[in-house]
Amino acid sequence: MSLSCKSKQPDGQRRRLLGGIAGAVSLGGGFSLIELALAKSEDEAISSLNRWGLLIDTAKCASGCDACVKGCNTEHNLEGFDRPETDAQWIRKLEVTDRQTGHVSSLPMLCQHCEDPPCVDVCPTGASFRRQDGVVLVDKHTCIGCRYCVMACPYKARSFVHESLYNQKSYSPRGKGTVESCTLCVHRIDDDRTPACVESCNRDGNGAMVFGDLNDADSQIAKTMRDSASRQVREDLGLNTGVRYQNL
Amino acid sequence: MSPGRLILLGVCMVTALVSATTSAVADAPVFPRGKGEQCVEPTQTMRKNHMKFLVHQRDDTVYQGVRTTKHSLKNCVDCHVQEDSAGQFIPIDAPGQFCQSCHEFASVKLDCFECHATMPDQGHANLGNTPGKMGSGAASLTAHAFSTKPSDDAAQ
Ligand code: SF4
């Protein structure tokens, strides 16, 4: 499993570079130029120099806690219609049991933001795509609702919207007849913020999730992944997922 | 056809055209003004090309993460949305509202709002997602949406 990407992507990283330059110029009063340098201006395009990912520690994630799920549902206004089979679900909690030992792990399952996403492979219209910074999305303007991607996803991470919706968030358009899944909160990423699930886990849960740039050797996520073992779910598929698990 | 008849026909056609134009102006949609002094582009440009700006911005945002607001749909909504007498936002696709009134007049289906928010996010906070509190136009639609929520099912 090579994480330090089989880089289709050039080395180095804009934010790291800027951070490095600004690092030398940190100012007094808790104010540092690093934060300024980190911010992507709104007219700036994303870059393949970044690859966003999540690291989830299943040892910290507790059975019965669903702070991340609640955070996601609130952020994107994922209301249920009391039809669990078809209600939208971008992140869900799973309990996985090791049949041999009986050890039970609790973990959140969501779009794994693969480098080689099966959903993108099968999509007939090109609606499923991978952003340059590694986030896998559906362009709902192009999606025809065929649901091939839903079938192709090994993580069952995608949902189909069956009902007309009327109260979407301005930053999270959703509509009947299209497929949707975790966006890794791109609207937040583009604004240099952390995804809602991670924020909720830190605030109301057990601090089991770390979000960051896998390509940035100095980021917390990259350091932790270098120093301790982590796994991909279904690593046999060789998808190079952006979401990784510890203690699984 | 004699020249006289031709002229008569011409006169009739011109009259018909003029009256059509006049009636079109008379029927022209009336919609609320946006906030501020002027739109992000000259009005005539927007009338003709707003959809091009929106599509361009849409692809930049979806694929490139460009979040400028000048030509974003969100910006249109933020500026053109109206409040009812109770201070609640009225969905911009409700009858008589900015987007809807013109699209209805031009007989062009407005499908942006099948997915996109019809009012600023603040509105949802105010509304508390409670049926009946939403502005006039979408009230019945919303009522439908809410009637299928678990709590309502339980109440039935
Ligand atoms: S449902 Fe939409 S995103 Fe999924 S494969 Fe079909 S067109 Fe592509």
Side-chain angles (χ1 to χ4, degrees), chain A residues 40 42 46 139 168 170 190, chain B residues 63-65 67 74 121:
Chain A
K40 168 175 108 55
E42 60 183 19
I46 52 165
D139 181 351
Q168 298 89 335
S170 68
D190 291 343
Chain B
Y63 293 98
Q64 304 294 324
R67 300 274 173 178
K74 186 167 178 286
D121 290 323

Side-chain angles (χ1 to χ4, degrees), chain B residues 95-139:
Chain B
Q97 294 304 302
F98 185 78
C99 296
Q100 184 59 31
S101 56
C102 241
H103 274 255
E104 201 170 295
F105 176 73
S107 293
V108 179
K109 186 166 179 261
L110 182 58
D111 62 1
C112 302
F113 299 106
E114 284 173 24
C115 285
H116 285 277
T118 57
M119 59 180 91
D121 290 323
Q122 178 65 28
H124 300 302
N126 288 345
L127 291 163
N129 283 341
T130 318
K133 275 197 180 175
M134 196 170 271
S136 55

